[in-house]
Amino acid sequence: MVEPVDKHRRSLPHGRVTEPVRILVVGGGYVGMYTALHLQRLLKNELRSGAAEITVVTPDPYMTYQPFLPEAAAGNISPRHVVVPLRRVLNRCRIVIGEVRGIDHAKRSATLTTLATGEEGTGAQYLDYDELVIAPGSISRTLPVPGLADYGIGFKTVEEAIGLRNHVIEQMDIASSTRDPAIRDAALTFVFVGGGYAGVEALAELEDMARYTSRYYHNIKPDDLKWVLVEATGRILPEVGEDMGVYAVRELRARNIDVRLETRLESCEDRVAVLSDGNRFPTRTVVWTAGVKPAPVLAATDLPRNERGRLKCTAHLTVDGVEHAWAAGDAAAVPDLTAKEPGRECAPNAQHAVRQTKVLAENLVASLRGQPLKEYAHKYAGSVASLGLHKGVAHVYGRKLKGYPAWFMHRAYHLSRVPTFNRKARVLAEWTLSGLFKREIVSLGSLEHPRAEFELAAGPPPPEPDDAAYRAGTADGAPKSQD
């Protein structure tokens, strides 16, 4: 007997399949990929028989493991090993490379654009679904700082991480070749805004890399490089505790890094970083890592949000007061059942996100099968942070570690968390090889403009030089040498 097909049904069809249960996952980041991966395993038989289908809509065909971005920027890990190809991992899901522009959950419909819609000129597409998993992650939270949009550099994607590495080495090339002391000082001054994980780890790893690289420049010493960390609050790395945060500041300052607490970036117009304490730093590098905010697509839905723009969720990881809608990670405000104070929410970090995806997938499948749901509850275990090669801080299960043990724990933890055995093996191999050989100090800035060389070759030839000027600058047909 075949069950009647209901557009808003919450159960899997039995017998002959007339219409599958359509599950839409918005986002292919950490939460989106892991949720789809768990659903793929739990619904293996249904996917094979056609009783269910999973569609993942994501702007990129890969998931970026963001905790490894600082090491990728420093050259410790190859960029391609920081990302996980979704089509290989989610081989039973339909992967759509595009962006969801809006969601009308009352009609169970999502509006999206893809790479093809722009070429076809057909406008947005509409995708119907039965169950919605919304996990678009977050984007950088910027402030109206004059000049930030023109000169700021983000640090949230693998492209930004590699671009920043190329930029730092390029600045050292500029400083090495210029005769203008003002240009040299600006090129060798690097300002990082934000004292959280991203800012501190990125600065520490790149300072390590640049200090090592300076040995290959005949006129640049490590002390010539100026690193500035700007943090609006009175501490950095709040997740590792106050004591470890104080230790981290002390360690960074011992490396000649200028850590400025309770200070804000007021402006970076004309390549001059102006701080709230009155200091001015001419610089060609301003890296913005001052927090994140929910993805814009959340505002284009009819789902309830809190004052911070995150979706209001229950402990079952359902959207509060809404059926057939689920959320986790940065986009979700999930109540923390382990907190002593009522009303607390789970922190939007990877530790909660990876555990929420498992509960979300199990609850979604349980709801389709008419089974009871379970609540998400996980007590925060602690945090680890790297301060460069062989240096780190950690506060795990009440125990505080610093230096090499914390750095080793940082690497061991994230190696265990990076998805797929393939990526674990490749990252471990690269770490092993980096311990045996010297660092790579190559800048591949041309990757950002790969057609520049060909455009120059294919373009019109340069104008012929003026004969008189040419003769004045040559002797016996050869250009005069410049001393």
Side-chain angles (χ1 to χ4, degrees):
M1 178 178 179
V2 181
E3 287 189 355
V5 176
D6 177 12
K7 181 179 180 182
H8 296 166
R9 67 178 177 269
R10 290 184 61 83
S11 59
L12 291 165
H14 301 289
R16 185 172 58 85
V17 177
T18 57
E19 185 180 346
V21 173
R22 300 160 299 180
I23 302 172
L24 172 61
V25 179
V26 178
Y30 208 83
V31 174
M33 191 205 75
Y34 264 110
T35 300
L37 184 62
H38 291 311
L39 288 172
Q40 182 177 263
R41 292 169 178 168
L42 294 171
L43 296 173
K44 180 171 59 176
N45 293 332
E46 288 81 357
L47 291 170
R48 184 183 296 115
S49 66
E53 64 179 31
I54 303 171
T55 301
V56 180
V57 180
T58 173
D60 301 305
Y62 53 81
M63 186 279 286
T64 302
Y65 189 70
Q66 293 186 350
F68 278 160
L69 289 183
E71 293 213 47
N76 298 332
I77 302 177
S78 173
R80 66 182 184 278
H81 298 157
V82 177
V83 299
V84 179
L86 295 178
R87 296 188 190 279
R88 178 184 296 177
V89 176
L90 305 177
N91 59 330
R92 292 187 179 276
C93 300
R94 176 192 174 204
I95 307 297
V96 177
I97 306 305
E99 293 189 45
V100 173
R101 301 296 184 179
I103 296 174
D104 188 345
H105 190 65
K107 297 180 179 179
R108 304 293 189 271
S109 178
T111 306
L112 68 147
T113 57
T114 67
L115 297 176
T117 55
E119 295 289 334
E120 297 168 348
T122 55
Q125 297 179 351
Y126 297 93
L127 182 64
D128 295 331
Y129 60 84
D130 298 307
E131 298 289 335
L132 172 67
V133 177
I134 186 160
S138 57
I139 62 173
S140 296
R141 176 174 57 86
T142 58
L143 298 176
V145 176
L148 183 61
D150 297 321
Y151 302 111
I153 302 172
F155 196 80
K156 191 164 175 61
T157 67
V158 66
E159 293 86 358
E160 289 175 328
I162 304 310
L164 181 57
R165 168 188 169 81
N166 293 333
H167 174 82
V168 169
I169 298 178
E170 182 181 272
Q171 298 312 301
M172 297 179 70
D173 289 334
I174 291 173
S176 176
S177 57
T178 184
R179 296 181 180 180
D180 188 330
I183 294 178
R184 174 185 169 90
D185 289 345
L188 296 181
T189 300
F190 307 95
V191 178
F192 284 68
V193 183
Y197 279 123
V200 172
E201 291 190 339
L203 184 150
E205 292 286 354
L206 283 166
E207 190 274 339
D208 243 357
M209 183 270 293
R211 181 160 27 86
Y212 176 88
T213 304
S214 66
R215 70 179 64 183
Y216 297 100
Y217 289 83
H218 70 282
N219 57 352
I220 297 180
K221 299 181 178 63
D223 291 342
D224 294 337
L225 286 81
K226 182 183 296 182
W227 300 83
V228 183
L229 177 62
V230 180
E231 168 55 37
T233 67
R235 57 193 290 193
I236 66 172
L237 298 175
E239 297 87 352
V240 298
E242 185 174 356
D243 292 343
M244 291 295 96
V246 171
Y247 168 80
V249 170
R250 188 167 63 247
E251 283 296 301
L252 293 176
R253 285 174 173 167
R255 290 159 57 179
N256 204 29
I257 297 174
D258 187 355
V259 180
R260 294 178 177 264
L261 304 177
E262 297 182 342
T263 307
R264 299 179 306 278
L265 177 69
E266 298 286 354
S267 170
C268 58
E269 287 184 305
D270 301 323
R271 295 190 181 274
V272 177
V274 181
L275 307 185
S276 59
D277 59 8
N279 282 277
R280 300 167 61 90
F281 296 96
T283 178
R284 300 170 61 89
T285 308
V286 175
V287 183
W288 183 267
T289 62
V292 297
K293 63 181 179 181
V297 67
L298 299 187
T301 72
D302 53 354
L303 302 174
R305 296 180 295 145
N306 65 6
E307 64 280 358
R308 295 185 178 181
R310 300 166 70 193
L311 296 178
K312 294 181 180 179
C313 293
T314 69
H316 297 117
L317 301 176
T318 60
V319 177
D320 193 17
V322 180
E323 294 185 340
H324 315 293
W326 313 76
D330 291 351
V334 180
D336 188 352
L337 301 183
T338 65
K340 296 179 181 179
E341 304 87 358
R344 291 287 297 274
E345 297 173 354
C346 295
N349 56 38
Q351 186 176 147
H352 281 298
V354 70
R355 290 170 172 83
Q356 288 173 357
T357 59
K358 187 173 186 294
V359 176
L360 190 159
E362 291 175 349
N363 280 348
L364 195 158
V365 173
S367 72
L368 293 175
R369 293 173 176 168
Q371 300 170 352
L373 310 184
K374 63 181 181 181
E375 295 180 328
Y376 171 77
H378 170 68
K379 189 174 181 180
Y380 191 58
S383 300
V384 291
S386 170
L387 299 179
L389 192 62
H390 301 158
K391 297 174 285 290
V393 289
H395 190 184
V396 182
Y397 293 113
R399 299 191 63 180
K400 301 174 183 178
L401 298 173
K402 56 187 179 182
Y404 185 88
W407 172 82
F408 183 82
M409 178 176 288
H410 173 271
R411 281 200 163 183
Y413 173 78
H414 286 300
L415 183 65
S416 68
R417 293 300 177 185
V418 68
T420 77
F421 177 79
N422 179 303
R423 286 297 178 272
K424 296 181 197 294
R426 291 178 182 274
V427 169
L428 183 59
E430 288 198 308
W431 280 343
T432 302
L433 292 174
S434 65
L436 299 175
F437 301 100
K438 296 180 179 180
R439 282 179 183 257
E440 294 290 344
I441 60 168
V442 177
S443 169
L444 298 177
S446 59
L447 288 175
E448 299 172 25
H449 306 284
R451 295 190 66 248
E453 184 75 16
F454 183 78
E455 288 174 351
L456 179 63
E464 293 292 333
D466 180 74
D467 290 341
Y470 181 74
R471 286 194 298 271
T474 60
D476 298 327
K480 290 183 179 179
S481 62
Q482 300 292 325
D483 295 331

